[in-house]
Amino acid sequence: METGKLVVGRVGDKSTVTRCFSKYPLKFIIPTKAGRSETDAVWIYTLTYGGGIVSGDCISVDLTVEDGCTAVLTTQASTKVYKSVALKCSEQMMEARIGSDALLVVIPDPVTCFSTARYSQKQIFRMVGDSSLLIVDWITSGRHESGEKWDFGLYKSTNHIYLDTKPMFLDTVLLENTSVSSIGERMQDYQVIAMVILLGPKLKKIQNQIQEDVKKMMSEQLRAPSIGGISVSKACNSDRYTKPSLIASCSPFGPKGTGVVVRIAATTTESVYRFLNHQLAGMELMLGLCPYQ
């Protein structure tokens, strides 16, 4: 049963929330003004009572962005997932439909799972040929100030994108402790993992720029050290090699590479915020505000 429903349609010449429903533990905040008044974008903030998701909670959201509209779905702070009780899993589900010439931007703060937490989320996006979509999906290692790093029991995040009913992008990230190794052992020094998906005609320029920036950044960070202008193998000179604090990769997907997925691993949450803010700064004209500023 749905705990939230949103419809964004055109009223006059503006994107407007025409239907909004939510019930415990979910709540929506829709500011009357976000960014410049001449920008045609509606911002929607999601939050939960108690400041997080409690063990056993099940949240389901249905979202429709009608033709020609722009909607931003975001949060006010990180999504906290509290400790699991009796191995119960907390769940979030969202299904979104994006109309012709419409843009949906999903830019939450990261998920932060407490020790022993078990969390699963699934997002389904249904698009047409000229829809546009931006998704940021990311998780931190936990509450560092409490000494928790990758101490949760389960994290699963699934994103499915369909174009005219045909599957275009199917992805699942699964982090789970096993008898062989813990999540922390596998993640080593990295404390954040993130995924950014850009798809559609309205985001083509940003797609091209982010691919160029990531290629340049990683070629510089992973270039072998040299002595007297001669490249030296990192494997034989580990003392000369410093592990990058942020690693990123880009991959095209979809017909003729119409979409781009960026995957990120970083040692700090702040470095990912800076990366996202810099790479998505070009969206300010469309959204009225710069994401993650």
Side-chain angles (χ1 to χ4, degrees):
M1 186 176 181
E2 293 172 358
T3 49
K5 186 175 182 67
L6 290 159
V7 177
V8 177
R10 296 199 72 78
V11 176
D13 60 349
K14 286 287 187 179
S15 299
T16 307
V17 175
T18 57
R19 184 176 180 187
C20 178
F21 161 79
S22 64
K23 68 177 183 179
Y24 183 88
L26 179 67
K27 184 177 181 180
F28 297 120
I29 295 178
I30 305 168
T32 55
K33 182 179 180 181
R36 297 190 301 273
S37 59
E38 66 271 17
T39 303
D40 181 28
V42 58
W43 284 67
I44 304 162
Y45 292 82
T46 65
L47 60 112
T48 54
Y49 292 93
I53 300 175
V54 176
S55 177
D57 275 353
C58 185
I59 297 171
S60 176
V61 175
D62 183 88
L63 170 62
T64 299
V65 184
E66 296 181 348
D67 296 353
C69 294
T70 298
V72 182
L73 194 65
T74 186
T75 56
Q76 292 182 310
S78 64
T79 298
K80 300 173 181 65
V81 182
Y82 295 124
K83 294 185 176 185
S84 176
V85 177
L87 296 179
K88 290 181 180 178
C89 186
S90 305
E91 298 179 355
Q92 279 205 101
M93 166 75 180
M94 181 174 75
E95 182 162 356
R97 288 164 296 280
I98 310 163
S100 175
D101 194 38
L103 168 63
L104 173 60
V105 176
V106 183
I107 47 171
D109 294 285
V111 172
T112 298
C113 292
F114 287 26
S115 174
T116 75
R118 300 179 65 82
Y119 176 71
S120 176
Q121 69 175 27
K122 184 174 184 179
Q123 300 183 129
I124 299 173
F125 302 91
R126 303 190 185 278
M127 307 176 64
V128 295
D130 60 349
S131 306
S132 296
L133 174 65
L134 166 64
I135 306 167
V136 177
D137 186 12
W138 54 320
I139 181 175
T140 72
S141 60
R143 298 182 297 170
H144 295 183
E145 68 279 3
S146 300
E148 297 178 4
K149 292 184 178 181
W150 306 114
D151 286 341
F152 51 85
L154 170 73
Y155 170 84
K156 182 179 181 181
S157 179
T158 298
N159 288 282
H160 288 179
I161 301 174
Y162 294 87
L163 178 61
D164 296 325
T165 73
K166 295 181 179 180
M168 187 178 190
F169 181 88
L170 307 175
D171 182 89
T172 295
V173 173
L174 175 64
L175 299 175
E176 186 173 18
N177 289 317
T178 68
S179 58
V180 177
S181 64
S182 67
I183 301 170
E185 289 170 335
R186 298 194 297 272
M187 294 303 298
Q188 299 185 28
D189 296 330
Y190 290 98
Q191 307 300 325
V192 185
I193 57 172
M195 179 173 69
V196 183
I197 301 170
L198 303 104
L199 175 63
K202 293 186 177 182
L203 301 177
K204 191 61 181 176
K205 183 177 180 180
I206 295 173
Q207 287 180 36
N208 294 338
Q209 186 62 54
I210 198 170
Q211 288 183 90
E212 287 297 318
D213 289 349
V214 167
K215 180 179 179 181
K216 180 180 178 182
M217 177 181 72
M218 296 315 301
S219 64
E220 291 175 352
Q221 289 191 6
L222 299 178
R223 183 180 295 125
S226 61
I227 298 176
I230 301 174
S231 179
V232 180
S233 169
K234 294 185 179 74
C236 298
N237 295 272
S238 59
D239 58 323
R240 291 178 171 271
Y241 176 60
T242 301
K243 185 182 294 185
S245 61
L246 187 146
I247 296 175
S249 68
C250 282
S251 303
F253 69 89
K256 300 181 181 179
T258 52
V260 170
V261 56
V262 186
R263 300 186 190 274
I264 303 159
T267 56
T268 66
T269 307
E270 291 73 20
S271 65
V272 181
Y273 271 117
R274 288 194 298 270
F275 177 89
L276 294 172
N277 175 254
H278 176 71
Q279 297 299 333
L280 302 178
M283 299 198 68
E284 184 173 0
L285 292 176
M286 287 183 277
L287 306 181
L289 293 171
C290 179
Y292 300 109
Q293 66 180 4

